[in-house]
Amino acid sequence: MSVQVTVRDPAGAPIPFVHINVAGTVTRIVLTNADGMATLQALPDGTYRVRFEHDNFVTLERDLTLHAGQPHDFEVQMTAAPEPPPAPEPPRPQPAPAAPAPPPSGPPVTLSIPSYLDKNFIGGRDPLKESVLGCMGAATTRLLQLRDPVAVHTHDQDEIIYVIAGDGAVRIRPADSHEEANVIAAGSLSIVPRGVPHAIERRGRNPLIVLSTLAGAPCQSATPTHQATKQ
């Protein structure tokens, strides 16, 4: 026997191009025409599961039971599929992080080292006098006057040592070699990378006077960075 299938929407309008899949004693696959109709041919009596599929409608399943050639017509109603949710908005770009504020710096400094020493010379019994001459956002410049040695120490900054007057030595202790004693005098320049243990000592009768610049960190004007030790 043949069964005429009609598929409509809730308003009663026919739905064309609905895929109809019949499963049971036999199987059939048909497609509705422009009038929403399709014919299931040569179906023996029995119960069938009929599935209706369309991209714009909710998939529907119905049972169809045929007995003694009845029924001849099978009509179903499909509900429109809900609108798909809107695509999510792309994430907004994060604002660029604000540039870090530059570290504070002191005022420009221009001075005469001899004139400064005339007014700030180390006392006769003082082992060390440390004076901060320049304070910048990434460096500190100090005037060191030594009578006694400066003990072995390290800095978190690179140190540049320029000898203004006197005689002495810079002892450097690299981690992978023996200690080096470098003799220094007026006009000598020593560069000590950060983290390298080193000591400074005076040789001769006069104080050792050096200009020391610690580079790579904000100014340390409030805290002495060297300490003399008696031999």
Side-chain angles (χ1 to χ4, degrees):
M1 63 173 296
S2 297
V3 178
Q4 188 74 32
V5 180
T6 303
V7 183
R8 302 182 185 276
D9 63 18
I15 305 175
F17 312 120
V18 176
H19 292 266
I20 302 175
N21 293 270
V22 180
T25 306
V26 296
T27 58
R28 296 286 186 272
I29 299 177
V30 295
L31 188 69
T32 59
N33 59 19
D35 296 326
M37 302 178 67
T39 301
L40 304 178
Q41 297 181 347
L43 290 179
D45 287 351
T47 299
Y48 299 88
R49 189 67 174 174
V50 186
R51 182 180 180 90
F52 302 85
E53 295 178 318
H54 192 286
D55 290 341
N56 298 328
F57 292 84
V58 178
T59 298
L60 178 68
E61 290 190 358
R62 288 288 185 269
D63 288 333
L64 172 63
T65 301
L66 300 178
H67 179 69
Q70 298 295 329
H72 292 293
D73 299 312
F74 185 44
E75 185 168 330
V76 296
Q77 177 179 294
M78 298 184 70
T79 303
E83 293 291 332
E89 294 184 3
R92 295 182 179 179
Q94 295 294 326
S105 295
V109 175
T110 301
L111 56 82
S112 167
I113 296 295
S115 298
Y116 184 87
L117 287 172
D118 286 342
K119 299 178 181 179
N120 299 276
F121 198 71
I122 185 172
R125 296 184 178 181
D126 294 337
L128 166 69
K129 185 170 185 179
E130 179 177 356
S131 306
V132 174
L133 302 182
C135 193
M136 295 178 287
T140 306
T141 300
R142 295 108 16 90
L143 185 68
L144 305 179
Q145 303 179 63
L146 288 76
R147 292 189 185 276
D148 293 339
V150 173
V152 176
H153 62 284
T154 60
H155 298 291
D156 293 332
Q157 304 88 29
D158 302 321
E159 184 173 19
I160 303 170
I161 302 171
Y162 178 75
V163 181
I164 295 173
D167 298 296
V170 175
R171 297 185 178 275
I172 299 177
R173 296 182 180 178
D176 56 351
S177 63
H178 298 291
E179 179 180 277
E180 302 174 5
N182 301 295
V183 177
I184 55 175
S188 297
L189 177 69
S190 295
I191 299 175
V192 183
R194 65 190 64 193
V196 173
H198 61 286
I200 308 173
E201 64 181 40
R202 181 198 71 170
R203 293 181 179 179
R205 300 182 58 183
N206 297 322
L208 177 63
I209 303 174
V210 303
L211 196 65
S212 168
T213 298
L214 294 173
C219 180
Q220 301 180 2
S221 59
T223 304
T225 56
H226 290 92
Q227 183 176 359
T229 58
K230 291 287 186 179
Q231 286 186 322

